[in-house]
Amino acid sequence: WNGNSTETMVVRRRQLVGGLLIQEALVLYGQDDGGGVWSFGQDVKNFEEGELVDDGGSRLAGADGVEPLLVIPGQPQDGQTFSGEDVLGLDTVERHEIVALNERVDTPDGPVDTGVVVASVQPGGAKAEERIFVPEIGLALARGEDGDLSLSRRLPQDAESAATETFS
């Protein structure tokens, strides 16, 4: 990025309704030297009744002025704010704020007390959603108006890393 090559992890995400594929996305993540995790965008394919209809929601850093987005800082501090990725698709997110450290989270390997809570903040200061990151696991839980989504329990048994690629 900015004249440098960045190795990214490409994660394939599929959304199924009634066993039918409605969306597939290849999401690109990279990590900086300080431990911060960045999103370099996503290549989205939307389907209706099994047929590809469009690529709405796609964005790739470097194309059309799109910049990489910070997912979580490498050394999170309580009260720290940053601009970054809108994980749940809220268009009105202005910034993110670290609101708690050492949150208790249930994981497939048992409970941990090292969760970092990141709140999405809308213009005017209202907090819209929370995400909880756990070291060595990543995003483990998302909390919104509709309740909690435990990502660690929702991953399919055949979840896969699609590839490792160099992004420039």
Side-chain angles (χ1 to χ4, degrees):
W1 185 249
N2 290 333
N4 298 302
S5 292
T6 302
E7 185 175 271
T8 60
M9 164 87 51
V10 180
V11 178
R12 180 175 299 148
R13 185 188 73 226
R14 293 183 181 122
Q15 185 175 3
L16 302 165
V17 173
L20 194 60
L21 180 66
I22 62 167
Q23 186 180 78
E24 180 175 74
L26 299 178
V27 187
L28 296 93
Y29 293 102
Q31 191 165 23
D32 62 33
D33 291 338
V37 177
W38 293 80
S39 168
F40 282 79
Q42 59 185 4
D43 180 21
V44 177
K45 304 293 183 219
N46 298 298
F47 297 87
E48 287 181 10
E49 298 181 16
E51 298 293 322
L52 177 65
V53 292
D54 63 37
D55 61 356
S58 293
R59 64 170 184 75
L60 293 174
D64 300 320
V66 173
E67 296 283 330
L69 299 171
L70 185 61
V71 175
I72 187 164
Q75 302 294 322
Q77 304 295 317
D78 196 15
Q80 180 179 11
T81 62
F82 60 96
S83 297
E85 184 179 38
D86 179 8
V87 174
L88 296 185
L90 303 170
D91 294 329
T92 57
V93 172
E94 184 172 86
R95 63 184 167 84
H96 301 283
E97 180 180 341
I98 308 288
V99 295
L101 303 171
N102 303 317
E103 180 88 358
R104 183 177 175 87
V105 180
D106 291 324
T107 73
D109 293 329
V112 296
D113 294 320
T114 57
V116 176
V117 181
V118 178
S120 297
V121 182
Q122 297 174 323
K127 292 186 173 62
E129 69 170 41
E130 291 184 338
R131 301 171 287 158
I132 302 177
F133 293 89
V134 176
E136 308 299 323
I137 293 176
L139 182 59
L141 183 76
R143 292 191 269 219
E145 290 180 9
D146 296 332
D148 293 356
L149 171 62
S150 176
L151 303 175
S152 60
R153 288 192 210 127
R154 287 274 183 102
L155 288 175
Q157 294 299 319
D158 62 349
E160 63 184 285
S161 169
T164 299
E165 296 188 12
T166 298
F167 187 89
S168 61

